[in-house]
Amino acid sequence: MDEWWLVFVPDPERWGPLPEEGVLGVRDLPAALDEVGLRPGDPVFVRPDFVVDPELLQFTLSSDFRDLERESRRNYATDIRLLLSWLWRRGVPWRAATIADLRAYKEFRVDSPLNPQRIGGAKWNREAAALTQLYKWAKASPLPVDAGRRADRSASARSSRVSWLTPRTWGLWQDLGLRGRGRDGAPLPGWDGRTELRNTAFVGLTLSSGLRRQEAGAMLTFDVPTRRLRSGRYCHGQVASALSRSKRDRTFYASIESVRQLGAYSESERTWAIQRAQEEGRYEKLPLMRLVTDVTHGPVPVVHWVERDGTAGRRELSLLDWRERQWLFVEGPHGPEPVWLWLTEQGMPMLPDRWNTLFRQANQRCEEALLTREEREVSRPLRSAAVRGKVPYATPHSARHSMALYMLVVLNELMDKKYGLTAADRRDFAQLYGDPWWLVKTLLGHRDVETTKEHYLSPVMHLQLESILAFDAEEEHGGTDGMNGLFTRLARETSGIQDVEVLFDALPVAEAS
Protein backbone atom coordinates (compact mmCIF):
# COMPACT_ATOMS: atom_id res chain seq x y z
CA MET A 1 0.00 0.00 0.00
CA ASP A 2 1.62 3.27 -1.14
CA GLU A 3 -1.30 5.71 -1.21
CA TRP A 4 -1.97 8.37 1.38
CA TRP A 5 -5.53 8.64 2.62
CA LEU A 6 -7.73 11.66 3.25
CA VAL A 7 -10.51 11.57 5.80
CA PHE A 8 -12.79 14.60 6.11
CA VAL A 9 -14.52 15.39 9.38
CA PRO A 10 -18.27 15.07 8.70
CA ASP A 11 -20.92 17.58 9.62
CA PRO A 12 -22.75 16.75 12.87
CA GLU A 13 -25.84 15.46 11.08
CA ARG A 14 -23.73 13.16 8.84
CA TRP A 15 -22.05 11.07 11.53
CA GLY A 16 -24.66 8.34 11.70
CA PRO A 17 -24.64 5.68 14.42
CA LEU A 18 -21.21 4.91 15.91
CA PRO A 19 -20.31 1.53 17.48
CA GLU A 20 -20.56 1.42 21.27
CA GLU A 21 -16.99 0.18 21.55
CA GLY A 22 -15.79 3.28 19.73
CA VAL A 23 -13.63 3.75 16.62
CA LEU A 24 -9.93 2.84 16.60
CA GLY A 25 -9.96 2.70 20.37
CA VAL A 26 -11.66 6.09 20.78
CA ARG A 27 -14.95 5.83 22.66
CA ASP A 28 -16.38 9.21 21.68
CA LEU A 29 -14.84 10.15 18.35
CA PRO A 30 -16.77 13.42 17.79
CA ALA A 31 -15.73 14.67 21.24
CA ALA A 32 -12.12 13.64 20.63
CA LEU A 33 -12.00 15.53 17.32
CA ASP A 34 -13.54 18.56 18.96
CA GLU A 35 -10.90 18.44 21.69
CA VAL A 36 -8.13 18.38 19.08
CA GLY A 37 -9.71 21.38 17.37
CA LEU A 38 -10.91 19.70 14.19
CA ARG A 39 -14.08 21.10 12.67
CA PRO A 40 -16.55 19.76 10.08
CA GLY A 41 -14.95 19.68 6.65
CA ASP A 42 -11.36 19.58 7.96
CA PRO A 43 -9.09 17.01 6.28
CA VAL A 44 -7.02 14.46 8.18
CA PHE A 45 -3.98 13.08 6.33
CA VAL A 46 -3.37 9.37 6.97
CA ARG A 47 -0.10 7.78 5.85
CA PRO A 48 -0.05 4.52 3.86
CA ASP A 49 0.85 2.72 7.11
CA PHE A 50 -2.47 4.00 8.56
CA VAL A 51 -0.88 6.51 10.92
CA VAL A 52 -2.24 10.05 11.14
CA ASP A 53 0.57 12.44 10.22
CA PRO A 54 0.94 14.80 13.23
CA GLU A 55 2.67 17.59 11.30
CA LEU A 56 0.03 17.67 8.60
CA LEU A 57 -2.60 17.68 11.33
CA GLN A 58 -1.04 20.89 12.63
CA PHE A 59 -1.11 22.27 9.09
CA THR A 60 -4.86 21.54 8.94
CA LEU A 61 -5.34 23.39 12.24
CA SER A 62 -3.20 26.37 11.22
CA SER A 63 -4.71 29.75 10.40
CA ASP A 64 -2.99 29.64 7.01
CA PHE A 65 -5.20 26.71 6.05
CA ARG A 66 -8.25 27.53 8.16
CA ASP A 67 -8.77 30.91 6.51
CA LEU A 68 -9.50 29.22 3.18
CA GLU A 69 -13.06 28.51 2.05
CA ARG A 70 -14.27 25.01 2.84
CA GLU A 71 -14.27 23.91 -0.80
CA SER A 72 -10.78 25.39 -1.27
CA ARG A 73 -9.56 23.45 1.78
CA ARG A 74 -10.93 20.25 0.28
CA ASN A 75 -9.32 20.95 -3.10
CA TYR A 76 -5.96 21.89 -1.53
CA ALA A 77 -5.96 18.76 0.62
CA THR A 78 -6.72 16.59 -2.40
CA ASP A 79 -3.86 18.15 -4.37
CA ILE A 80 -1.45 17.73 -1.45
CA ARG A 81 -2.41 14.06 -1.02
CA LEU A 82 -1.38 13.34 -4.62
CA LEU A 83 2.10 14.77 -4.00
CA LEU A 84 2.44 12.88 -0.70
CA SER A 85 1.68 9.57 -2.42
CA TRP A 86 4.08 10.33 -5.27
CA LEU A 87 6.90 11.14 -2.83
CA TRP A 88 6.14 8.12 -0.61
CA ARG A 89 6.55 5.75 -3.57
CA ARG A 90 10.02 7.24 -4.08
CA GLY A 91 10.99 7.01 -0.45
CA VAL A 92 11.12 10.81 -0.01
CA PRO A 93 9.63 12.31 3.19
CA TRP A 94 7.49 15.27 2.20
CA ARG A 95 9.52 17.63 4.39
CA ALA A 96 12.75 16.54 2.67
CA ALA A 97 11.47 17.18 -0.87
CA THR A 98 13.77 19.38 -2.96
CA ILE A 99 13.27 21.71 -5.88
CA ALA A 100 14.40 18.89 -8.16
CA ASP A 101 11.78 16.56 -6.66
CA LEU A 102 8.98 19.06 -7.25
CA ARG A 103 10.17 19.83 -10.79
CA ALA A 104 10.09 16.10 -11.50
CA TYR A 105 6.60 15.91 -10.02
CA LYS A 106 5.44 18.81 -12.20
CA GLU A 107 6.88 17.09 -15.28
CA PHE A 108 5.03 13.88 -14.36
CA ARG A 109 1.72 15.66 -13.74
CA VAL A 110 1.78 17.87 -16.83
CA ASP A 111 4.10 16.47 -19.52
CA SER A 112 5.04 12.83 -18.97
CA PRO A 113 3.65 10.43 -21.60
CA LEU A 114 3.87 7.74 -18.92
CA ASN A 115 1.07 9.47 -17.02
CA PRO A 116 -2.28 8.61 -18.67
CA GLN A 117 -4.04 11.28 -16.60
CA ARG A 118 -1.94 14.33 -17.32
CA ILE A 119 -3.41 17.68 -16.35
CA GLY A 120 -3.45 21.04 -18.07
CA GLY A 121 -1.40 24.08 -17.20
CA ALA A 122 -4.21 25.86 -15.36
CA LYS A 123 -4.85 22.83 -13.17
CA TRP A 124 -1.14 22.55 -12.36
CA ASN A 125 -1.00 26.20 -11.35
CA ARG A 126 -3.84 25.58 -8.90
CA GLU A 127 -1.99 22.56 -7.50
CA ALA A 128 1.20 24.59 -7.23
CA ALA A 129 -0.68 27.15 -5.12
CA ALA A 130 -1.78 24.39 -2.72
CA LEU A 131 1.73 22.93 -2.45
CA THR A 132 3.23 26.38 -1.96
CA GLN A 133 0.82 26.96 0.91
CA LEU A 134 2.00 23.75 2.58
CA TYR A 135 5.72 24.39 2.25
CA LYS A 136 5.48 28.03 3.29
CA TRP A 137 3.69 26.92 6.44
CA ALA A 138 6.42 24.32 7.02
CA LYS A 139 9.04 27.10 6.60
CA ALA A 140 10.94 25.01 4.07
CA SER A 141 14.06 26.76 2.77
CA PRO A 142 14.48 26.96 -0.09
CA LEU A 143 10.86 26.42 -1.07
CA PRO A 144 10.73 23.25 -3.21
CA VAL A 145 7.80 24.80 -5.10
CA ASP A 146 6.68 28.39 -5.31
CA ALA A 147 3.61 29.36 -7.32
CA GLY A 148 5.12 32.83 -7.71
CA ARG A 149 8.26 31.43 -9.33
CA ARG A 150 8.11 31.41 -13.14
CA ALA A 151 9.78 28.00 -13.44
CA ASP A 152 7.19 26.45 -11.13
CA ARG A 153 4.23 27.67 -13.13
CA SER A 154 2.97 26.31 -16.40
CA ALA A 155 3.61 28.45 -19.45
CA SER A 156 0.63 26.86 -21.21
CA ALA A 157 -1.95 27.72 -18.56
CA ARG A 158 -5.32 28.03 -20.22
CA SER A 159 -8.57 27.74 -18.35
CA SER A 160 -10.08 24.35 -19.20
CA ARG A 161 -13.16 25.07 -17.14
CA VAL A 162 -14.61 27.50 -19.66
CA SER A 163 -17.13 25.73 -21.87
CA TRP A 164 -20.32 26.76 -23.59
CA LEU A 165 -23.29 24.89 -24.96
CA THR A 166 -25.70 26.71 -27.24
CA PRO A 167 -29.40 26.69 -26.23
CA ARG A 168 -30.26 23.91 -28.68
CA THR A 169 -27.37 21.80 -27.43
CA TRP A 170 -28.52 22.22 -23.81
CA GLY A 171 -31.90 20.94 -24.95
CA LEU A 172 -30.27 17.89 -26.51
CA TRP A 173 -28.07 17.28 -23.46
CA GLN A 174 -31.10 17.36 -21.17
CA ASP A 175 -33.13 15.07 -23.42
CA LEU A 176 -30.37 12.45 -23.55
CA GLY A 177 -28.91 12.86 -20.07
CA LEU A 178 -31.79 13.90 -17.82
CA ARG A 179 -35.01 12.86 -19.57
CA GLY A 180 -33.97 9.38 -20.67
CA ARG A 181 -34.56 9.83 -24.38
CA GLY A 182 -32.65 8.11 -27.12
CA ARG A 183 -30.92 9.44 -30.20
CA ASP A 184 -34.25 9.43 -32.05
CA GLY A 185 -35.96 11.43 -29.29
CA ALA A 186 -38.09 8.49 -28.10
CA PRO A 187 -38.12 7.48 -24.39
CA LEU A 188 -35.67 4.71 -23.55
CA PRO A 189 -37.18 1.42 -22.33
CA GLY A 190 -37.03 1.10 -18.56
CA TRP A 191 -36.13 4.74 -17.95
CA ASP A 192 -36.79 5.77 -14.35
CA GLY A 193 -37.38 9.51 -14.24
CA ARG A 194 -38.25 9.94 -10.58
CA THR A 195 -35.99 13.00 -10.24
CA GLU A 196 -36.37 14.33 -13.78
CA LEU A 197 -38.26 17.49 -12.77
CA ARG A 198 -35.75 18.33 -10.05
CA ASN A 199 -32.76 17.89 -12.33
CA THR A 200 -34.16 19.82 -15.30
CA ALA A 201 -35.41 22.58 -12.98
CA PHE A 202 -31.89 23.00 -11.57
CA VAL A 203 -30.39 23.22 -15.07
CA GLY A 204 -33.10 25.66 -16.15
CA LEU A 205 -32.45 27.88 -13.14
CA THR A 206 -28.67 27.99 -13.56
CA LEU A 207 -28.95 28.51 -17.32
CA SER A 208 -31.24 31.50 -16.98
CA SER A 209 -29.62 33.06 -13.90
CA GLY A 210 -25.90 32.27 -14.17
CA LEU A 211 -25.81 31.24 -10.51
CA ARG A 212 -22.85 29.20 -9.34
CA ARG A 213 -23.40 25.62 -8.22
CA GLN A 214 -23.31 26.48 -4.52
CA GLU A 215 -25.45 29.59 -4.94
CA ALA A 216 -28.21 27.67 -6.73
CA GLY A 217 -27.66 24.39 -4.91
CA ALA A 218 -28.14 25.86 -1.42
CA MET A 219 -31.33 27.74 -2.30
CA LEU A 220 -34.19 27.70 0.21
CA THR A 221 -37.87 27.64 -0.63
CA PHE A 222 -38.24 31.29 0.34
CA ASP A 223 -35.22 32.22 -1.81
CA VAL A 224 -37.13 31.32 -5.00
CA PRO A 225 -37.70 34.61 -6.84
CA THR A 226 -41.31 35.72 -7.13
CA ARG A 227 -41.07 39.45 -7.93
CA ARG A 228 -41.38 40.06 -11.65
CA LEU A 229 -39.64 42.78 -13.56
CA ARG A 230 -41.82 45.21 -15.45
CA SER A 231 -41.38 43.26 -18.68
CA GLY A 232 -42.82 40.19 -16.99
CA ARG A 233 -40.26 37.81 -18.52
CA TYR A 234 -37.88 37.66 -15.56
CA CYS A 235 -38.08 37.53 -11.77
CA HIS A 236 -35.36 38.78 -9.48
CA GLY A 237 -34.05 37.37 -6.22
CA GLN A 238 -31.13 37.79 -3.86
CA VAL A 239 -27.94 35.74 -3.56
CA ALA A 240 -26.92 35.49 0.10
CA SER A 241 -23.48 36.88 0.89
CA ALA A 242 -22.57 33.66 2.75
CA LEU A 243 -23.05 31.68 -0.48
CA SER A 244 -21.34 34.02 -2.93
CA ARG A 245 -17.65 33.94 -3.70
CA SER A 246 -17.31 37.68 -3.16
CA LYS A 247 -19.10 37.43 0.23
CA ARG A 248 -21.45 40.18 -0.86
CA ASP A 249 -25.18 40.10 -1.50
CA ARG A 250 -26.20 40.53 -5.11
CA THR A 251 -29.36 40.44 -7.19
CA PHE A 252 -29.91 37.62 -9.65
CA TYR A 253 -32.48 37.26 -12.40
CA ALA A 254 -34.27 34.08 -13.43
CA SER A 255 -36.64 33.60 -16.33
CA ILE A 256 -40.34 33.08 -15.68
CA GLU A 257 -40.09 29.69 -17.38
CA SER A 258 -37.35 28.52 -15.01
CA VAL A 259 -39.42 29.71 -12.01
CA ARG A 260 -42.39 27.75 -13.37
CA GLN A 261 -40.17 24.66 -13.57
CA LEU A 262 -39.25 25.16 -9.91
CA GLY A 263 -42.92 25.34 -9.05
CA ALA A 264 -43.71 22.13 -10.93
CA TYR A 265 -40.88 20.34 -9.14
CA SER A 266 -41.94 21.67 -5.72
CA GLU A 267 -45.56 20.61 -6.19
CA SER A 268 -44.75 17.08 -7.36
CA GLU A 269 -41.39 15.35 -6.80
CA ARG A 270 -40.43 17.46 -3.81
CA THR A 271 -43.80 17.02 -2.09
CA TRP A 272 -43.71 13.26 -2.63
CA ALA A 273 -40.18 13.00 -1.23
CA ILE A 274 -41.22 14.91 1.90
CA GLN A 275 -44.27 12.69 2.39
CA ARG A 276 -42.16 9.52 2.17
CA ALA A 277 -39.61 10.92 4.62
CA GLN A 278 -42.35 11.85 7.08
CA GLU A 279 -44.00 8.44 6.82
CA GLU A 280 -40.68 6.70 7.48
CA GLY A 281 -39.79 9.04 10.37
CA ARG A 282 -36.53 10.27 8.81
CA TYR A 283 -36.83 13.84 10.05
CA GLU A 284 -37.45 12.71 13.62
CA LYS A 285 -34.07 10.97 13.63
CA LEU A 286 -32.08 14.03 12.56
CA PRO A 287 -29.61 15.16 15.25
CA LEU A 288 -30.04 18.81 14.26
CA MET A 289 -33.28 20.55 13.39
CA ARG A 290 -34.16 24.23 13.59
CA LEU A 291 -37.88 24.88 13.25
CA VAL A 292 -38.37 28.26 11.58
CA THR A 293 -40.92 30.42 13.38
CA ASP A 294 -40.58 33.62 11.37
CA VAL A 295 -38.71 35.25 8.51
CA THR A 296 -38.80 39.01 8.74
CA HIS A 297 -39.16 41.17 5.66
CA GLY A 298 -37.40 44.37 4.80
CA PRO A 299 -33.90 45.25 3.61
CA VAL A 300 -32.23 42.76 6.03
CA PRO A 301 -34.40 39.63 6.38
CA VAL A 302 -33.82 37.67 9.59
CA VAL A 303 -34.67 34.01 10.18
CA HIS A 304 -36.01 33.07 13.63
CA TRP A 305 -36.09 29.43 14.79
CA VAL A 306 -36.45 27.11 17.74
CA GLU A 307 -34.08 24.20 18.42
CA ARG A 308 -35.31 20.75 19.45
CA ASP A 309 -34.54 21.60 23.08
CA GLY A 310 -36.63 24.78 22.87
CA THR A 311 -33.68 27.17 22.53
CA ALA A 312 -34.57 30.15 20.33
CA GLY A 313 -32.14 31.43 17.70
CA ARG A 314 -31.98 34.00 14.94
CA ARG A 315 -29.63 35.03 12.15
CA GLU A 316 -29.67 37.23 9.09
CA LEU A 317 -30.76 35.19 6.08
CA SER A 318 -27.81 36.40 4.01
CA LEU A 319 -25.33 35.15 6.65
CA LEU A 320 -26.60 31.56 6.72
CA ASP A 321 -24.09 29.33 4.93
CA TRP A 322 -25.03 26.14 3.11
CA ARG A 323 -24.43 23.94 6.18
CA GLU A 324 -26.75 25.95 8.42
CA ARG A 325 -29.42 26.04 5.75
CA GLN A 326 -29.73 22.24 5.85
CA TRP A 327 -30.97 22.40 9.42
CA LEU A 328 -33.90 24.74 8.73
CA PHE A 329 -37.41 23.21 8.75
CA VAL A 330 -40.96 24.55 8.85
CA GLU A 331 -44.01 22.97 10.42
CA GLY A 332 -46.15 21.52 7.63
CA PRO A 333 -49.60 19.88 7.65
CA HIS A 334 -48.08 16.48 8.43
CA GLY A 335 -45.02 17.46 10.43
CA PRO A 336 -41.67 19.20 9.86
CA GLU A 337 -40.61 19.88 6.27
CA PRO A 338 -37.15 21.00 5.12
CA VAL A 339 -36.78 24.54 3.82
CA TRP A 340 -33.89 23.39 1.59
CA LEU A 341 -35.24 23.44 -1.97
CA TRP A 342 -33.41 20.54 -3.63
CA LEU A 343 -34.17 17.20 -1.99
CA THR A 344 -33.04 13.63 -2.61
CA GLU A 345 -35.58 10.88 -3.21
CA GLN A 346 -35.35 10.20 0.53
CA GLY A 347 -36.52 13.75 1.26
CA MET A 348 -33.15 14.90 2.60
CA PRO A 349 -31.22 18.01 1.47
CA MET A 350 -29.18 17.35 -1.66
CA LEU A 351 -25.76 18.84 -0.99
CA PRO A 352 -24.37 21.20 -3.66
CA ASP A 353 -21.45 18.95 -4.64
CA ARG A 354 -23.88 16.13 -5.48
CA TRP A 355 -24.76 18.02 -8.65
CA ASN A 356 -21.30 17.18 -10.01
CA THR A 357 -22.21 13.49 -9.84
CA LEU A 358 -25.54 14.08 -11.54
CA PHE A 359 -23.93 15.99 -14.42
CA ARG A 360 -21.29 13.27 -14.78
CA GLN A 361 -23.99 10.61 -15.04
CA ALA A 362 -25.86 12.69 -17.62
CA ASN A 363 -22.66 13.00 -19.67
CA GLN A 364 -22.28 9.22 -19.56
CA ARG A 365 -25.83 8.74 -20.84
CA CYS A 366 -25.06 11.10 -23.71
CA GLU A 367 -22.01 9.01 -24.54
CA GLU A 368 -24.04 5.80 -24.47
CA ALA A 369 -26.54 7.32 -26.88
CA LEU A 370 -24.08 8.87 -29.33
CA LEU A 371 -20.83 6.87 -29.23
CA THR A 372 -20.06 3.34 -30.32
CA ARG A 373 -18.97 0.77 -27.75
CA GLU A 374 -15.39 0.96 -29.01
CA GLU A 375 -15.36 4.75 -28.64
CA ARG A 376 -16.76 4.58 -25.11
CA GLU A 377 -14.10 2.10 -24.00
CA VAL A 378 -11.44 4.81 -24.39
CA SER A 379 -11.40 7.14 -21.35
CA ARG A 380 -12.44 10.70 -22.17
CA PRO A 381 -9.00 12.34 -21.64
CA LEU A 382 -7.49 9.92 -24.17
CA ARG A 383 -10.17 10.18 -26.84
CA SER A 384 -9.43 11.91 -30.10
CA ALA A 385 -10.86 15.36 -30.66
CA ALA A 386 -13.15 13.91 -33.34
CA VAL A 387 -14.70 11.46 -30.87
CA ARG A 388 -15.03 14.04 -28.07
CA GLY A 389 -16.68 16.35 -30.57
CA LYS A 390 -19.56 13.95 -31.11
CA VAL A 391 -20.98 14.31 -27.63
CA PRO A 392 -22.24 17.34 -25.67
CA TYR A 393 -20.41 17.59 -22.36
CA ALA A 394 -21.56 19.78 -19.49
CA THR A 395 -20.71 20.63 -15.90
CA PRO A 396 -22.67 22.80 -13.44
CA HIS A 397 -20.32 25.67 -14.29
CA SER A 398 -21.00 25.23 -18.02
CA ALA A 399 -24.49 26.62 -17.42
CA ARG A 400 -22.97 29.79 -15.98
CA HIS A 401 -20.57 30.16 -18.92
CA SER A 402 -23.38 29.53 -21.42
CA MET A 403 -25.58 32.13 -19.78
CA ALA A 404 -22.73 34.66 -20.06
CA LEU A 405 -22.23 33.94 -23.77
CA TYR A 406 -25.94 33.99 -24.50
CA MET A 407 -26.50 37.26 -22.63
CA LEU A 408 -23.56 38.90 -24.39
CA VAL A 409 -25.05 38.06 -27.78
CA VAL A 410 -28.60 39.03 -26.81
CA LEU A 411 -27.56 42.28 -25.14
CA ASN A 412 -25.60 43.30 -28.21
CA GLU A 413 -28.63 42.60 -30.37
CA LEU A 414 -30.84 44.66 -28.04
CA MET A 415 -28.34 47.50 -28.07
CA ASP A 416 -28.43 47.43 -31.85
CA LYS A 417 -32.21 47.70 -31.92
CA LYS A 418 -32.28 50.37 -29.23
CA TYR A 419 -29.89 52.69 -31.00
CA GLY A 420 -31.09 51.80 -34.50
CA LEU A 421 -27.62 51.33 -35.93
CA THR A 422 -27.34 50.43 -39.56
CA ALA A 423 -24.76 47.99 -40.89
CA ALA A 424 -22.54 50.95 -41.83
CA ASP A 425 -22.93 52.55 -38.40
CA ARG A 426 -21.88 49.44 -36.51
CA ARG A 427 -18.16 49.79 -37.13
CA ASP A 428 -18.19 53.54 -36.39
CA PHE A 429 -20.06 53.16 -33.11
CA ALA A 430 -18.38 50.01 -31.83
CA GLN A 431 -17.45 51.82 -28.64
CA LEU A 432 -21.10 51.83 -27.63
CA TYR A 433 -20.88 48.07 -27.22
CA GLY A 434 -18.80 48.10 -24.08
CA ASP A 435 -22.03 48.23 -22.09
CA PRO A 436 -23.02 44.57 -22.66
CA TRP A 437 -19.74 43.47 -21.09
CA TRP A 438 -20.49 45.55 -18.02
CA LEU A 439 -24.03 44.15 -17.80
CA VAL A 440 -22.81 40.55 -18.03
CA LYS A 441 -20.21 41.32 -15.39
CA THR A 442 -22.99 42.54 -13.11
CA LEU A 443 -25.15 39.48 -13.75
CA LEU A 444 -22.24 37.16 -12.92
CA GLY A 445 -21.32 39.04 -9.77
CA HIS A 446 -17.74 39.89 -10.80
CA ARG A 447 -15.95 42.81 -9.20
CA ASP A 448 -14.19 43.83 -12.40
CA VAL A 449 -15.34 43.66 -16.02
CA GLU A 450 -11.85 42.51 -16.98
CA THR A 451 -12.46 39.33 -14.99
CA THR A 452 -15.49 38.65 -17.17
CA LYS A 453 -13.54 39.20 -20.36
CA GLU A 454 -10.41 37.32 -19.35
CA HIS A 455 -11.77 34.29 -17.52
CA TYR A 456 -15.16 33.75 -19.08
CA LEU A 457 -15.16 35.12 -22.56
CA SER A 458 -11.49 35.28 -23.54
CA PRO A 459 -11.73 32.41 -26.11
CA VAL A 460 -14.30 34.50 -27.99
CA MET A 461 -12.73 37.92 -27.66
CA HIS A 462 -13.30 38.33 -31.39
CA LEU A 463 -17.02 38.33 -30.55
CA GLN A 464 -17.18 42.04 -31.06
CA LEU A 465 -19.75 44.00 -32.99
CA GLU A 466 -18.78 42.74 -36.43
CA SER A 467 -18.94 39.00 -35.68
CA ILE A 468 -21.99 39.26 -33.44
CA LEU A 469 -24.22 41.44 -35.60
CA ALA A 470 -22.99 40.76 -39.12
CA PHE A 471 -26.35 39.22 -40.02
CA ASP A 472 -27.92 39.20 -43.41
CA ALA A 473 -31.16 41.10 -43.51
CA GLU A 474 -33.03 37.80 -43.40
CA GLU A 475 -31.17 36.73 -40.25
CA GLU A 476 -31.88 39.98 -38.45
CA HIS A 477 -35.59 39.31 -38.66
CA GLY A 478 -35.38 35.55 -38.43
CA GLY A 479 -36.23 35.26 -34.70
CA THR A 480 -35.11 32.00 -33.15
CA ASP A 481 -33.75 30.61 -36.42
CA GLY A 482 -31.56 33.68 -36.83
CA MET A 483 -30.14 33.30 -33.30
CA ASN A 484 -29.61 29.57 -33.80
CA GLY A 485 -27.80 30.28 -37.03
CA LEU A 486 -25.60 32.82 -35.27
CA PHE A 487 -24.67 30.38 -32.53
CA THR A 488 -23.91 27.70 -35.10
CA ARG A 489 -21.58 30.06 -36.95
CA LEU A 490 -19.88 31.09 -33.71
CA ALA A 491 -19.40 27.44 -32.78
CA ARG A 492 -17.69 26.80 -36.12
CA GLU A 493 -15.43 29.82 -35.69
CA THR A 494 -14.66 29.47 -31.97
CA SER A 495 -13.19 26.60 -29.98
CA GLY A 496 -15.10 25.51 -26.91
CA ILE A 497 -18.65 26.31 -28.06
CA GLN A 498 -20.75 23.17 -28.45
CA ASP A 499 -23.60 23.28 -30.95
CA VAL A 500 -25.61 20.34 -32.27
CA GLU A 501 -24.93 21.11 -35.92
CA VAL A 502 -21.20 21.26 -35.25
CA LEU A 503 -21.06 18.28 -32.89
CA PHE A 504 -22.72 15.91 -35.32
CA ASP A 505 -24.55 16.42 -38.57
CA ALA A 506 -27.03 13.57 -38.70
CA LEU A 507 -28.65 14.07 -35.33
CA PRO A 508 -32.19 15.45 -34.99
CA VAL A 509 -32.10 18.92 -33.49
CA ALA A 510 -33.62 19.18 -30.01
CA GLU A 511 -35.44 22.30 -28.93
CA ALA A 512 -33.96 24.27 -26.04
CA SER A 513 -35.64 23.78 -22.69
Side-chain angles (χ1 to χ4, degrees), residues 4 22 155 166 170 242 262 266 317 322 380 389 400 404 451 463-464:
W4 280 66
T166 63
W170 273 110
L262 290 176
S266 296
L317 176 60
W322 66 268
R380 190 173 188 277
R400 181 170 165 83
T451 302
L463 232 66
Q464 300 299 329

Side-chain angles (χ1 to χ4, degrees), residues 289-356:
M289 178 185 289
R290 293 174 173 174
L291 201 61
V292 175
T293 57
D294 186 32
V295 180
T296 65
H297 298 286
V300 185
V302 176
V303 181
H304 297 255
W305 67 78
V306 176
E307 306 273 0
R308 284 190 185 275
D309 61 4
T311 304
R314 54 175 288 175
R315 190 165 175 79
E316 290 181 21
L317 176 60
S318 66
L319 299 181
L320 290 171
D321 65 20
W322 66 268
R323 288 164 294 177
E324 296 174 282
R325 289 168 168 248
Q326 301 172 62
W327 308 332
L328 298 179
F329 283 71
V330 293
E331 190 64 52
H334 305 289
E337 301 179 359
V339 182
W340 189 277
L341 178 62
W342 310 105
L343 302 181
T344 66
E345 291 183 74
Q346 293 73 36
M348 307 303 288
M350 180 172 172
L351 302 187
D353 60 3
R354 288 280 301 277
W355 290 106
N356 289 347

